[in-house]
Amino acid sequence: MMVLSLFPGLGYIFLSWMHGISARAIIWYIGIVLVSIWGYRIYKQYLDNNLSSAQLKIWYKNLTLFYYAFFILWLVIFLLFITEKQYHLHYIAIFTEIGASVVASVLLVPDKKLFKPNVIMLMVPLAIYFLFIGEWFGYVLSIFSGILAWVLIYAAESSHKLLMQTNYLANHDSLTGLKNRYYFINYLQSMMPSLQDSKTWSYLLLIDLDHFKTINDSLGHDIGDRLLQKVSERIRKEKHANSLLARLGGDEFVVVGPEYGNRDECRIEAQALAERILLILKESYIVELHHLYISASIGVSLVNGKNNDASRLIKEADIAMYEAKENGRDGVIIFDDEMEKRVEYNLEIEQLLHFSLDKNEISLVYQPQIDGHGKVVGAEALVRWNNEKHGTIMPDTFIPIAEQTGSIIVLGHFIMETAFRTLSIWEQQGIAIQQFSINVSMRQFFYYDFVDDVRSLCKKYLTDDNRIKIVFEVTESIVAEDLDKIIRIMEEIRQLGIRFSMDDFGTGYSSLSYLKRLPIDEIKIDRSFVSELNKVENDQIMVSSILDMAKQFNLKVVAEGVETEDQFDFLKSRKCDIYQGFYFSKPLTDDEFRAFYKK
Ligand code: C2E
Ligand code: CA
Ligand code: CA
């Protein structure tokens, strides 16, 4: 705009000087310079500052005024020249006015409130001027001016509509009509300065539907889509009017709240809203004659502009949401300091874990498995990590992290190799156990290379006699995956002679029907049942019925976590096959195990 006015403006001064009206033209030009300086400052203000939404409103008002001032100045030069006697100046004035109208209709397209009034403001005086010529061609030109104004406005309006459509598509989710991820991120980022300035708080709710995939897979995507629309409608009704609701994709929604004076108030409001949303989402849905039920898990992070980073906030809400999922779904978790500390600790563990193998910090211990006569018949390999900074870190801490980050693949390979090697050495030393158990993670199990990996390690370390001693312990969570795929992988591994055991039996979801289909040879009664045996009668019944059922299915049963003689006696009376626990021995190092075996 500055270039469009400052340089041609000099031409107007020259022309007016030729016709003896330079004084007025110079005053006009000073006006142009001043408005340009003002315009430049408005431009810089936007570039240099991250404006809050309130500041942005004021800024926009100034911008609007600037454009009006700018086009009014061009109207002024028109009036200046057109009222002069010399006809040359009239031609210039007419051209100026048409040119300015075209500029207004082209450049101001994004804003309807700007291009319409400006084009009218510029073209009407021109039409009136033609009218006042008082001759037939004047009337014709006047009508033409009107038509030109209409064409300019019509063209600008069409472009405007197209622009709005593109803008809408870029910012909205087409399925639900809610704002999309792109808009949400910008919104969150632009909210930060205002939260920071006013020291206020807001919240971010991350809503993820539970088991939505099941509906999609079983009833089809059309029904899934309709359900998502209904869900978004329910959340829209529940949220605060001043807040933003967006769909991030899939079955994930996000709500950004209004601003609150302090953290506690914000937290209470967020919690209340999240609980209301959980409730209304749980009410039944009717989609094409299907009655559907769905719940959601919600993670909340509280925002105060200090941690000036939208992606971090989303991550926090995400962590809280996963925590809600892990706590059994259908719940709300607010990201807090304690969780932050845990996340940081986990991050550190993750990094240290990365170097643990190279530093020789990982080793295995072996817990003896005993039969009813007190004879050592087997062992379970358990991993240990001895870190120089944190000392001994237990597998319950780092295995889940290794699973999440994928380092379980390398770690699991190392564990298996070490275990296989130990078993082959034991055999040479005359330690004749019947079975040797190794824990296998889900993630490791489904890794594309797993079967080949097991096969080549078998070849490298194990004789045929040894191979049939190996038992892979998997947990019940395995059945959450594609059952046919699990069975296929299990069968391939069984062909190597390796058997399977269902670890932590009774704590998960596995039903009898799964047990029947999975090619397993053994179950391990979880230690939580064993430890309660002497106290809780229910657990006695539970353990007895697991044992009865296992006999029906021809499965071997290992009781783990046997800590007392009473527990051992009870299990023995119910004909459990193998016993493992502190009553007999803690997990032992290689040397300790051999000594224990010989004794
Ligand atoms: P798990 O497979 O159920 O292993 C048994 C856990 O119970 C071991 O803890 C063992 O030390 C403990 N335990 C044994 N007897 C008793 C007892 O009488 N009383 C009590 N209170 N506890 C007993 P650990 O070694 O800390 O392992 C914890 C979990 O970490 C294991 O549970 C397993 O899920 C996982 N894990 C351990 N080693 C490996 C491994 O090499 N690979 C994989 N993927 N996971 C492993
Ligand atoms: Ca185990
Ligand atoms: Ca277990």
Side-chain angles (χ1 to χ4, degrees), residues 147-162:
I147 294 172
L148 179 61
W150 178 79
V151 169
L152 288 177
I153 290 173
Y154 177 80
E157 252 168 8
S158 308
S159 309
H160 178 76
K161 228 188 254 164
L162 209 64

Side-chain angles (χ1 to χ4, degrees), residues 510-524:
S510 61
S511 62
L512 283 175
S513 60
Y514 278 125
L515 262 191
K516 237 165 89 178
R517 289 190 59 192
L518 288 179
I520 56 171
D521 296 278
E522 177 188 285
I523 54 177
K524 292 186 85 168

Side-chain angles (χ1 to χ4, degrees), residues 11 36 42 115 134 191 234 274 311 321 438 525 565:
S36 294
I42 294 175
F115 68 73
M191 207 175 151
R234 286 189 190 180
S311 66
M321 192 272 287
I438 301 167
I525 302 178
E565 193 171 356

Side-chain angles (χ1 to χ4, degrees), residues 46 78 93 100-101 167 210 253 272 308 347 389 444 479 482 486 508 543 570:
Y46 185 83
F78 167 78
S101 304
N167 197 34
D210 300 330
F253 297 87
N308 217 334
L347 212 67
K389 181 176 165 199
Q444 197 185 349
V479 299
D482 176 0
I486 302 165
V543 169
F570 177 83

Side-chain angles (χ1 to χ4, degrees), residues 216-476:
N216 239 355
D217 290 350
S218 56
L219 299 175
H221 286 252
D222 283 348
I223 299 219
D225 283 356
R226 294 275 300 281
L227 181 66
L228 286 176
Q229 286 167 339
K230 294 196 173 214
V231 163
S232 68
E233 204 40 56
R234 286 189 190 180
I235 305 175
R236 199 208 306 263
K237 280 193 192 129
E238 207 57 48
K239 78 176 177 61
H240 196 282
N242 278 342
S243 54
L244 170 84
L245 168 62
R247 176 172 171 237
L248 299 189
D251 58 347
E252 241 182 23
F253 297 87
V254 72
V255 178
V256 183
E259 295 182 20
Y260 294 95
N262 62 63
R263 189 175 199 273
D264 285 341
E265 189 190 349
C266 181
R267 189 189 167 99
I268 290 166
E269 287 290 331
Q271 177 92 31
L273 174 63
E275 276 164 12
R276 285 204 310 275
I277 290 177
L278 286 184
L279 269 183
I280 49 146
L281 290 187
K282 262 190 291 194
E283 283 166 23
S284 76
Y285 301 79
I286 300 176
V287 181
E288 288 175 12
L289 302 178
H290 295 281
H291 278 258
L292 303 177
Y293 296 89
I294 200 150
S295 62
S297 301
I298 303 184
V300 182
S301 65
L302 300 175
V303 194
N304 76 334
K306 213 164 59 191
N307 34 8
N308 217 334
D309 182 2
S311 66
R312 182 183 158 157
L313 282 166
I314 299 168
K315 199 165 179 192
E316 287 180 358
D318 207 47
I319 290 167
M321 192 272 287
Y322 273 102
E323 181 104 353
K325 292 248 180 216
E326 260 165 34
N327 286 0
R329 299 165 203 268
D330 187 19
V332 190
I333 298 277
I334 298 182
F335 189 88
D336 54 15
D337 293 348
E338 188 227 333
M339 205 178 283
E340 187 170 355
K341 273 195 205 110
R342 204 171 63 229
V343 168
E344 269 161 25
Y345 177 74
N346 285 358
L347 212 67
E348 194 190 347
I349 294 291
E350 180 187 329
Q351 280 156 2
L352 291 175
L353 195 58
H354 196 72
F355 303 104
S356 62
L357 281 176
D358 290 340
K359 287 183 162 178
N360 261 329
E361 292 179 346
I362 303 289
S363 61
L364 291 187
V365 288
Y366 308 91
Q367 188 170 32
Q369 294 179 332
I370 312 293
D371 71 2
H373 309 292
K375 194 178 150 216
V376 179
V377 290
E380 176 181 5
L382 294 159
V383 66
R384 291 293 176 264
W385 177 13
N386 208 326
N387 180 253
E388 54 179 356
K389 181 176 165 199
H390 293 276
T392 305
I393 305 173
M394 293 308 267
D396 281 334
T397 308
F398 68 86
I399 292 287
I401 297 174
E403 281 172 347
Q404 270 166 28
T405 58
S407 52
I408 191 70
I409 306 294
V410 185
L411 189 62
H413 174 87
F414 174 83
I415 291 170
M416 199 151 56
E417 180 161 21
T418 313
F420 282 13
R421 200 192 296 122
T422 305
L423 182 63
S424 84
I425 295 172
W426 283 0
E427 192 197 30
Q428 290 158 23
Q429 297 177 339
I431 294 179
I433 49 174
Q434 296 160 17
Q435 63 174 41
F436 188 82
S437 303
I438 301 167
N439 294 285
V440 174
S441 281
M442 283 275 290
R443 177 105 187 239
Q444 197 185 349
F445 186 86
F446 286 111
Y447 187 63
Y448 71 95
D449 222 9
F450 183 64
V451 179
D452 285 340
D453 200 27
V454 175
R455 195 176 290 129
S456 65
L457 285 177
C458 276
K459 226 185 225 157
K460 194 166 167 194
Y461 293 102
L462 300 180
T463 59
D464 287 348
D465 284 348
N466 257 347
R467 213 179 279 179
I468 54 169
K469 291 180 184 169
I470 301 283
V471 176
F472 281 168
E473 293 189 3
V474 292
T475 57
E476 289 172 285

